[in-house]
Amino acid sequence: MSSELNGGDEESLIEPLNHTSNQQLSRLTNTSSQLALVGVNVCPIESLDYEIIENDFFKQDWRSRGKIQIYQYISMKWALCFLIGLSVSLVGFFNNLAVENVAGQKFVITSNMMLSKRHLSAFLIFTGFNFGLTLFASLFTALVSPAAAGSGIPEVKAYLNGVDAPAIFSLSTLVVKIVGSISAVSASLHIGKAGPMVHTASCIGALLGQGGSTKYGLTWKWLHYFKNDRDRRDLVTCATAAGIAAAFRAPVGGVLFALEEMATWWRSALVWRAFFCTAVVAIMLRGFMDLCYSGKCGLFGTGGLIMYNVTKENFAYHLSDVPAVLLVGLIGGFLGALYNFILEKVLRLYSLINGKGLVYQIVLACSISIFTSCLLFGLPWFAPCQPCPRDAAEACPTIGRSGNYKKFQCAPGHYNDLASLIFNTNDDAIRNLFSLNTDSEFYGISMLIFFVTCFFLSIFSYAIVVPSGLFVPVIVTGASYGRYIGMLIGSNTSLNNGLFAVLGAASFLGGSMRMTVSLCVILLELTNNLLLLPLVMLVLLVSKTVADGFNANIYDIMMKLKGFPYLESHNEPFMSQLTVADVVTGPLEYLHGIEKVGNIVNILRRSGHNGFPVIDVPTQSGMPKLFGLILRSHLIVLLKKKAFSLTPVSAGADVFKQFSSVDFAKGGFDTIDDIEDIQFKDEEMKMFVDLHPFTNASPYTVVETMSLAKAHVLFREVGLRHMLVTPITTDRPAVVGMLTRHDFMPEHILSLNPSLVTRRWKRLRFQFTPFANM
């Protein structure tokens, strides 16, 4: 297994963040370590076993299952999806309730002090409140679960591709993700809670899919059905859909997000369960909103769980409006690519700082908090005041937490439009930007200042050691520049400024995240208006096309920077020029069907591989034959029970009394079995064990002459961890090599075949000169 080398350009050979080297970044290197940056710490990573291990115990287990067990298994799948939806909706509602009330109290206190002209006290309260929340969130994250830092979407996406990292779905990560996200978002850091919500939901799905726990007494037999990576993968996929549904009240958009952006393997049965999961979330959130309508949610009010009604009446747009829409999409694509480019550079810088230890991580987070507070409190002083509109639908100036008319330092009867955007939560700021009939409520200079501030604050606030997302900050930034474009165009179009804000948000999302279908549906569900469909589709298509000409989407950039060995859906063109024999490296460790215990122990101690071919050697003259593949974890289980024999004989039927399929089921996320934890006596090392009943007798094999491109397709589509390579002639060993995820990484292939580097096909992309090579 290997870590991919890449920076902003998916073809550039730049070392990921978990590697340091004195060589120039442009020099080709082959990193074959099994390390990746998870959260803010470098951790070991492994591949997941999505393949069904068809050994004798698996076959016996399936033969023993009756209709009742099969119905239990199917029913449990749907029951777990219901529990995921229920749990995610509760967490999503709690997150919104907490953020709106914690941040709301801060804004109320600050606004009251500004009304009484206690400006310095207001600044100190505002800054101190933000500093305290940021300090708590960063300390809690760094000390309890560093894997919870960031959005978590790159880690979840890599997991669904077959890459496992420690602690990404642990109970501590779940708690830190919830508490840390509430604190960080309430601290006025320009970050979102949608990304952390996806990771939180994935933690819930993964924990429910552990198949029980002996530690907590959950050992019912029917829970053992889910002790495998395949079922956990499906539950995590459904959970990612539920996370988006809870963050945006977008159930259909959540399913499409999981399909378009997150999942590597998808099938029709999974669509049903994911849709059921998001439906549960939508229904539960609707019930919680009814509770808030009765005034029992404190400052949460009736506008929580973001839903932006851009228009409640029919509106018309004409062919003459299309050029303005295309302009928004074009600028959004360029800005999105620039955003990804700058964010990549900042991530590299922050990685160097965070890698120096806990003190540096906390100092960086607190410094960003102080800078953000000073900027947010100081900028409204430079914005002009304007008189309150006579026909305002709400009180002007606004009394309380949210609203379009913040008085700040203005005279009575006037409001500060920039303060109306800054001294609100991101959800309320978006609602103000999307509002109808507000074309005259914001000055152009205020909107430009707000856009530039959001653009850079969202970049510098991300990747500090707190749970943080990008979805909502990108929407805020895009909405502000979209509305600014609407102000510049003015009477040349029939579209109002609120609609331009929606289109700007869509274009910036498309330019940075490069999704189309899922983003389109999420925005339509957010705005509750199907009439926007053609315009949003057009903007997303244009912005994605433009941005693809510069770099990759933000989550792919992050995965490659972190060093996750992600298997892309497309083949590199040079793979068609190679066969699997060109990338197989040795020596290959293998075991015999009946093997001496000492040999097994020695191989496990000197090799870090997780799968070993099992070879049968005929008693008479003849070539050895491949029997199958046995996993490292199964060997350790076998050695732990010490079911050895004094002579090399085949295991009888008694082996099914000593072991069961449950013994070989995968444990929880914190379960790690190590060969060094098992003690052996000298006489035990000389004993024998029959590996045939424990070996997967039907592993995937390819002939050594198969093209690497074909093997890549098979490896990715089936979800393999190991692929055995067999010779084309019978006078050679039964297995000539084994392919793993590492062997399909482009940097590994090019390091073995340097002649392909100069002939390597590169995607035609523009670069942000003169900074492209920084």
Side-chain angles (χ1 to χ4, degrees), residues 402-588:
S402 61
N404 280 15
Y405 310 107
K406 291 287 185 180
K407 181 177 180 294
F408 204 65
Q409 89 291 6
C410 296
H414 292 70
Y415 72 96
N416 188 312
D417 59 341
L418 186 55
S420 300
L421 296 173
I422 289 177
F423 282 84
N424 273 317
T425 61
N426 282 335
D427 294 353
D428 289 322
I430 297 173
R431 189 173 293 107
N432 292 347
L433 291 169
F434 283 6
S435 296
L436 270 179
N437 304 319
T438 56
D439 290 2
S440 60
E441 289 185 6
F442 298 97
Y443 283 120
I445 186 62
S446 298
M447 199 56 56
L448 182 60
I449 293 174
F450 187 67
F451 161 66
V452 175
T453 303
C454 292
F455 186 91
F456 288 102
L457 279 185
S458 62
I459 291 175
F460 290 107
S461 299
Y462 189 79
I464 59 176
V465 60
V466 296
S468 54
L470 287 174
F471 251 106
V472 173
V474 167
I475 292 177
V476 175
T477 306
S480 58
Y481 99 80
R483 192 173 183 104
Y484 181 67
I485 291 177
M487 293 177 177
L488 294 179
I489 296 176
S491 59
N492 296 324
T493 176
S494 61
L495 306 180
N496 64 71
N497 291 348
L499 181 54
F500 269 108
V502 176
L503 298 179
S507 68
F508 200 45
L509 282 168
S512 61
M513 300 183 179
R514 313 295 163 80
M515 291 175 278
T516 51
V517 179
S518 57
L519 285 180
C520 183
V521 174
I522 288 173
L523 285 169
L524 292 179
E525 290 181 289
L526 273 179
T527 57
N528 199 26
N529 194 335
L530 193 60
L531 296 175
L532 300 177
L533 178 62
L535 298 181
V536 174
M537 289 176 64
L538 181 61
V539 161
L540 284 171
L541 289 172
V542 173
S543 62
K544 181 186 181 332
T545 303
V546 172
D548 279 339
F550 292 93
N551 48 33
N553 79 67
I554 190 61
Y555 295 126
D556 285 350
I557 290 175
M558 288 182 187
M559 280 196 300
K560 292 174 182 180
L561 286 174
K562 287 173 174 288
F564 288 117
Y566 186 84
L567 287 176
E568 299 285 356
S569 58
H570 63 273
N571 292 319
E572 292 283 355
F574 55 76
M575 288 184 179
S576 300
Q577 305 174 37
L578 302 171
T579 64
V580 294
D582 294 324
V583 299
V584 168
T585 57
L588 178 67

Side-chain angles (χ1 to χ4, degrees), residues 27-348:
R27 181 174 177 180
L28 173 64
T29 57
N30 173 35
T31 58
S32 57
S33 69
Q34 294 177 296
L35 300 173
L37 192 67
V38 181
V40 293
N41 285 355
V42 176
C43 302
I45 55 175
E46 296 286 349
S47 288
L48 294 166
D49 294 302
Y50 290 152
E51 180 185 0
I52 296 176
I53 307 302
E54 295 182 342
N55 55 25
D56 290 348
F57 291 93
F58 171 82
K59 296 172 184 176
Q60 175 71 15
D61 182 56
W62 272 101
R63 282 195 297 265
S64 63
R65 290 188 184 183
K67 289 185 177 180
I68 295 178
Q69 286 78 18
I70 294 175
Y71 289 146
Q72 279 182 340
Y73 174 65
I74 296 174
S75 300
M76 276 303 301
K77 280 187 175 181
W78 288 97
L80 288 177
C81 286
F82 174 79
L83 289 176
I84 290 172
L86 179 63
S87 303
V88 171
S89 61
L90 287 170
V91 172
F93 178 74
F94 173 74
N95 280 2
N96 281 275
L97 189 69
V99 169
E100 294 286 324
N101 281 280
V102 173
Q105 289 291 349
K106 175 186 64 180
F107 291 131
V108 167
I109 295 172
T110 305
S111 297
N112 290 338
M113 288 186 172
M114 292 298 295
L115 286 173
S116 60
K117 297 185 179 181
R118 296 163 59 191
H119 299 155
L120 180 59
S121 298
F123 170 72
L124 293 177
I125 290 292
F126 181 73
T127 305
F129 202 97
N130 293 339
F131 180 84
L133 287 172
T134 304
L135 179 63
F136 169 75
S138 57
L139 280 173
F140 192 50
T141 303
L143 295 176
V144 179
S145 179
S151 72
I153 289 181
E155 285 82 358
V156 176
K157 185 174 180 179
Y159 175 86
L160 294 177
N161 189 257
V163 180
D164 192 17
I168 59 172
F169 295 135
S170 66
L171 182 60
S172 60
T173 300
L174 173 62
V175 174
V176 172
K177 209 74 183 183
I178 295 173
V179 178
S181 177
I182 293 171
S183 302
V185 174
S186 300
S188 291
L189 293 173
H190 202 65
I191 56 178
K193 53 186 183 288
M197 191 65 234
V198 172
H199 192 183
T200 299
S202 300
C203 289
I204 293 172
L207 290 170
L208 288 174
Q210 282 200 33
S213 171
T214 55
K215 180 179 179 181
Y216 298 105
L218 300 175
T219 55
W220 296 295
K221 185 177 180 180
W222 40 266
L223 281 175
H224 296 154
Y225 297 148
F226 297 93
K227 285 196 171 184
N228 62 83
D229 289 328
R230 292 171 63 88
D231 285 320
R232 290 180 187 173
R233 176 193 66 192
D234 291 348
L235 290 174
V236 171
T237 302
C238 293
T240 59
I244 288 295
F248 296 115
R249 286 178 63 195
V252 179
V255 175
L256 294 175
F257 173 80
L259 169 62
E260 183 178 7
E261 180 62 21
M262 301 300 292
T264 298
W265 297 278
W266 193 266
R267 59 188 187 278
S268 58
L270 198 56
V271 177
W272 277 98
R273 291 201 293 274
F275 187 72
F276 172 70
C277 216
T278 59
V280 172
V281 173
I283 294 171
M284 294 300 298
L285 289 182
R286 183 68 249 180
F288 293 141
M289 287 302 300
D290 288 341
L291 178 67
C292 288
Y293 287 142
S294 63
K296 298 178 180 179
C297 294
L299 292 171
F300 190 54
T302 59
L305 295 170
I306 50 180
M307 174 72 77
Y308 310 120
N309 293 316
V310 179
T311 177
K312 296 182 180 179
E313 57 190 26
N314 295 331
F315 71 97
Y317 45 87
H318 311 284
L319 189 62
S320 59
D321 298 322
V322 173
V325 175
L326 292 176
L327 177 64
V328 172
L330 184 68
I331 296 176
F334 177 78
L335 289 175
L338 180 63
Y339 184 87
N340 292 1
F341 173 80
I342 299 175
L343 182 57
E344 180 211 343
K345 303 301 179 185
V346 173
L347 288 174
R348 289 185 176 276

Side-chain angles (χ1 to χ4, degrees), residues 362-378:
I362 303 304
V363 169
L364 175 62
C366 293
S367 300
I368 294 297
S369 174
I370 294 173
F371 173 75
T372 300
S373 298
C374 294
L375 196 64
L376 296 183
F377 196 90

